[in-house]
Structures are given as structure tokens and as C-alpha cells.
Amino acid sequence: MLSPFLRVDSLDKGNSGVAMGGGDSQIFPGSRYRPSLKRPIWIIFLVSLVSLFLASSYIYPPHNSTACYIFFSRGCKPLTNRPPPSPARELTDKEFASRIVFRDILNIPPVQSKSSKIAFLFLTPRSLPFEKLWDMFFCGHEGKFSVYVHASKEKPVHASRYFLNREIHSDEVRWGKISMVDAERRLLAHALKDPNNQHFVLLSESCIPLHDFDHVYNYLIHANMSFVDCFSDPGPHGNGRYSEHMLPEVEKKDFRKGAQWFSIKRQHALVVMADNLYYSRFRDYCKPGFDGKNCIADEHYLPTFFHMIDPGGIANWSVTHVDWSERKWHPKSYGAQDVTIELLKNITSIDLSVHVTSDVKSEEQVQACVWNGIRRPCYLFARKFNPETLDKLMMLLKF
């Protein structure tokens, strides 16, 4: 507040000097008792202008921090007492009730103890072709993991003791339908029965581990967030799948997309099971052919849900690698000829998550993989390996 008045004082002194000099007497010849009108009017006008400016700054305070410290000697602290902006709309009763439940669940402090376990949730149509590889991965770490298998078509034949009698009640799963999400929730529900399960990883029959068990365990158990793939895609295979029937609970600006292969903390697993409101919107209005669109529920439900209720609690990338470089409906599959030590090193060294939009721009959205504030490689698992790769993988991956 001092600088405007300093300028006025300087101007006043400058004018006084001119008034007392010879120039002044030449411009205003006459009696020394004749008052000079021009100088006071111009000073009054300037002071009035500055006062008006300061008054406006007080009534409409600036939001820029630098401007705050120019106009307010105490900065913008008084702005914190102003009422928060009104929400874009008022929540419905069901939304309000759901958000209260979610808030209380998310505020449950995380538990880390020697008995903390990771739940490995296998979503498969039949037997798991990589059970022998997973057996090698799990061996010697009993008490630190749990296994759950949802086999939707055939009863699995097991090659590992860790998978014996680990099937849960399963139902039909159809690609692109809400039944895929139902299977995920069914796996979560069974795994949540064990209070020691603190992290939950969804895997397919084509998934393999990329690191030894200790590396995976420490990465997930000590992570301060969940790993849910989530990004905004303005193209036809992103926001183009949105239906206004989801309103008012799900708005287009919140609609997100991502791979279904999550790795989530216990609190997030609980809110997924507690949710019925948002789930019902995707069950009813996100399905192939509805409203003339090709909405895939498992690609949109959880990314949108977590973006809405806890955007800061997810990493926005998955710890399961998949190669979409071929830009087809399904990602690249790896055969025996593709599996080399160089391939595995390349995958495990990636520390950037890349999403590509489906619009004409095909924009790449690149994000560094940050774990607890530290940039680290992104992937713990990889998928779309064909069964024929088992022997080669067991030779290369020596856990």
C-alpha cells in the first residue's frame, strides 16, 4: 500500500519545484494571492484514482499470491475465511449418503504388519497356463500372499499346490459386459474376508510376474496409493462411449478410461464393494450397443469411480504391462519366439506410462511412474503371453 502514495508524494514534490521556479511564474503571471487551480485538481484526481483502485482491490481481492502481497501487507490469509465456492450442483440423497460412507472408509488408517498379505486375484475362463511359473514365484513366501481363482467356463486343473481349492463361486463372464466387473467384485469380496489381505492385484490367465516376490511385496505393501489405470480420452473409444443416461451421478467431464488390471489398497477394495450407486449407472447404461455406442464397462467403471471419489489416491497407471502399439482391438500377444532376456529387460526398465487418445489427433499422454515420490519403473507384471512361452519364461525368470 505504500508504493502508490510514494509516487504521489514524488509527483507533488516535483510539481512544487516547478511552481516555485521561473517557469511557473511565466505560465501563471499575476498576483501572488491568486490561487493555482490546476495543481490541486490534478493531485486530487490522482489520489481519487488510487483510492478507488485500492478500494476495488479490497472488495474484489486478487487470487494471485504475488498480487496479494502487493495489496495486502498480510498476504491472502484473510481469503481463507471466505466461504468455499458452491458445488456445480447439489448432490442427490443417494450420492450424499454414498460419499459419507466412502469418506469414512477412506479415512481408515492403513495397516502394515508382519502378517500383511497380498491377495492375487486370477480372472480366467479355465486352467491357468502359468501356474508352474507362479509356483516358483510364491515358493518360500508362505504367509505373505493369498490366491483366489475365478474360472468362468471350466473347472481348472492345477499344477501348483498354491492354487488347490482356491476357486471361488464363479459365473459366466462375457467380454465387454458388466459381468466382467461382477467377477472382479466377486473376487474382491472373497479376498476381503481375510483381514490380513491389505493389497489386491487383479490378474488374467496370460499374466506373468516380472520380478521376484520380495520386490513385488515391498513395492505394493509400502505404496501410498493404489494403481488404477485412468485417463481422459476425448475420442470415440473414450468420451464417445458416454451416455447422458448416467446423469446426474456421472457427468461427461468425469468419464474416464483405463485397463481393468488394478492393484488396490484395502480401503479402495472396500469402497468398491460398498458402491452400488455408481456401479448401477455403468450396469444399466455402459454396454455394447446401448444408445448406439460401444461402452465397455470394465474399461470405464473403476477409472471413473476412483477419479470421482478419490482422484489423489490412485496413480493413474497400472503395474501390469501390456503392449498396445499395434493399435488393434486387443493388445499384442507374445509367442515363444518373442520371449528374450532383452524383451524382459525392456519392459522392466520402462518408467513412463503412455496413454494414446482415440481421436484423430492420437495424442500421447505421458506420465512418469512415481512411487511414494520417487520415480521408478512402472511394471511388476506383464500380460498377453501365450502358453507356449512357459518353458522359456521359467528359464529366464529365475526368482
Side-chain angles (χ1 to χ4, degrees):
M1 292 178 64
L2 295 177
S3 55
F5 292 103
L6 284 172
R7 293 191 192 100
V8 172
D9 292 343
S10 300
L11 182 61
D12 191 50
K13 289 177 183 179
N15 285 346
S16 298
V18 173
M20 293 176 66
D24 191 39
S25 60
Q26 292 177 5
I27 296 174
F28 298 103
S31 171
R32 63 190 180 96
Y33 297 103
R34 183 179 179 182
S36 175
L37 297 176
K38 185 173 289 188
R39 185 178 64 190
I41 289 175
W42 136 231
I43 293 175
I44 291 170
F45 174 76
L46 184 59
V47 172
S48 300
L49 188 63
V50 171
S51 300
L52 180 62
F53 182 65
L54 292 174
S56 299
S57 299
Y58 181 79
I59 296 171
Y60 304 102
H63 294 278
N64 178 273
S65 58
T66 303
C68 289
Y69 280 93
I70 291 174
F71 296 113
F72 301 98
S73 60
R74 296 183 181 178
C76 282
K77 189 174 181 180
L79 296 180
T80 59
N81 297 324
R82 294 170 67 87
S86 300
R89 64 177 179 83
E90 186 176 355
L91 297 178
T92 64
D93 288 345
K94 289 183 178 180
E95 285 179 284
F96 186 77
S98 295
R99 295 296 181 99
I100 293 298
V101 173
F102 298 156
R103 183 199 66 187
D104 285 354
I105 292 174
L106 293 173
N107 284 336
I108 298 173
V111 175
Q112 289 185 9
S113 68
K114 292 182 179 179
S115 59
S116 293
K117 296 192 291 186
I118 296 175
F120 291 84
L121 317 177
F122 290 90
L123 185 57
T124 178
R126 50 186 65 85
S127 298
L128 293 163
F130 295 109
E131 273 196 23
K132 288 183 179 179
L133 181 64
W134 285 104
D135 185 274
M136 187 169 67
F137 172 78
F138 289 135
C139 187
H141 303 284
E142 291 78 1
K144 288 189 172 183
F145 67 90
S146 303
V147 172
Y148 302 86
V149 179
H150 186 291
S152 58
K153 290 185 177 180
E154 301 174 5
K155 183 175 177 58
V157 176
H158 298 296
S160 166
R161 59 192 172 113
Y162 299 118
F163 289 82
L164 287 173
N165 302 316
R166 300 311 299 166
E167 300 95 349
I168 67 166
H169 167 72
S170 304
D171 209 341
E172 181 184 16
V173 174
R174 297 181 63 187
W175 182 83
K177 299 293 184 68
I178 196 67
S179 58
M180 185 74 77
V181 176
D182 292 339
E184 296 171 6
R185 287 162 61 99
R186 201 173 290 122
L187 281 163
L188 284 174
H190 280 79
L192 282 166
K193 290 168 63 177
D194 186 341
N196 290 325
N197 285 334
Q198 294 298 316
H199 208 99
F200 304 78
V201 182
L202 182 67
L203 301 159
S204 75
E205 75 281 2
S206 69
C207 283
I208 65 164
L210 295 170
H211 299 274
D212 62 53
F213 183 88
D214 286 333
H215 179 98
V216 171
Y217 183 87
N218 290 326
Y219 195 108
L220 296 180
I221 288 293
H222 300 296
N224 59 10
M225 63 179 63
S226 290
F227 300 92
V228 177
D229 200 31
C230 177
F231 74 107
S232 177
D233 178 4
H237 302 308
N239 286 358
R241 296 171 173 177
Y242 173 79
S243 171
E244 292 187 352
H245 287 86
M246 293 185 179
L247 291 171
E249 290 82 6
V250 180
E251 300 180 59
K252 190 172 186 178
K253 66 180 179 64
D254 295 319
F255 199 65
R256 292 295 184 273
K257 180 182 178 180
Q260 71 185 102
W261 310 106
F262 59 73
S263 177
I264 58 178
K265 311 291 282 183
R266 186 175 183 90
Q267 293 88 335
H268 283 151
L270 287 168
V271 295
V272 170
M273 297 312 303
D275 175 50
N276 183 62
L277 176 62
Y278 300 100
Y279 162 81
S280 68
R281 294 297 175 265
F282 285 85
R283 179 195 62 205
D284 297 339
Y285 306 120
C286 181
K287 47 191 173 183
F290 179 80
D291 218 11
K293 301 177 181 181
N294 194 38
C295 192
I296 310 299
D298 61 84
E299 292 184 3
H300 296 284
Y301 166 55
L302 288 182
T304 302
F305 177 65
F306 282 115
H307 171 74
M308 293 178 65
I309 69 157
D310 191 21
I314 61 172
N316 295 322
W317 44 274
S318 170
V319 291
T320 300
H321 174 267
V322 67
D323 185 352
W324 286 99
S325 61
E326 295 178 345
R327 306 288 175 90
K328 297 179 180 179
W329 274 104
H330 297 285
K332 179 180 178 178
S333 294
Y334 297 104
Q337 72 280 2
D338 301 312
V339 177
T340 63
I341 192 65
E342 288 75 21
L343 172 69
L344 298 176
K345 284 182 177 179
N346 287 340
I347 294 174
T348 54
S349 66
I350 297 171
D351 62 359
L352 292 174
S353 171
V354 180
H355 295 112
V356 182
T357 62
S358 62
D359 57 0
V360 292
K361 295 181 180 178
S362 293
E363 177 188 357
E364 287 192 353
Q365 300 178 10
V366 182
Q367 173 189 352
C369 295
V370 177
W371 179 92
N372 291 10
I374 304 168
R375 184 164 172 174
R376 293 183 63 176
C378 308
Y379 302 116
L380 304 177
F381 314 100
R383 62 183 302 264
K384 298 305 287 183
F385 284 80
N386 294 333
E388 66 193 60
T389 63
L390 174 61
D391 292 339
K392 208 166 184 182
L393 286 168
M394 291 191 68
M395 181 180 65
L396 295 174
L397 293 170
K398 297 176 181 179
F399 301 129

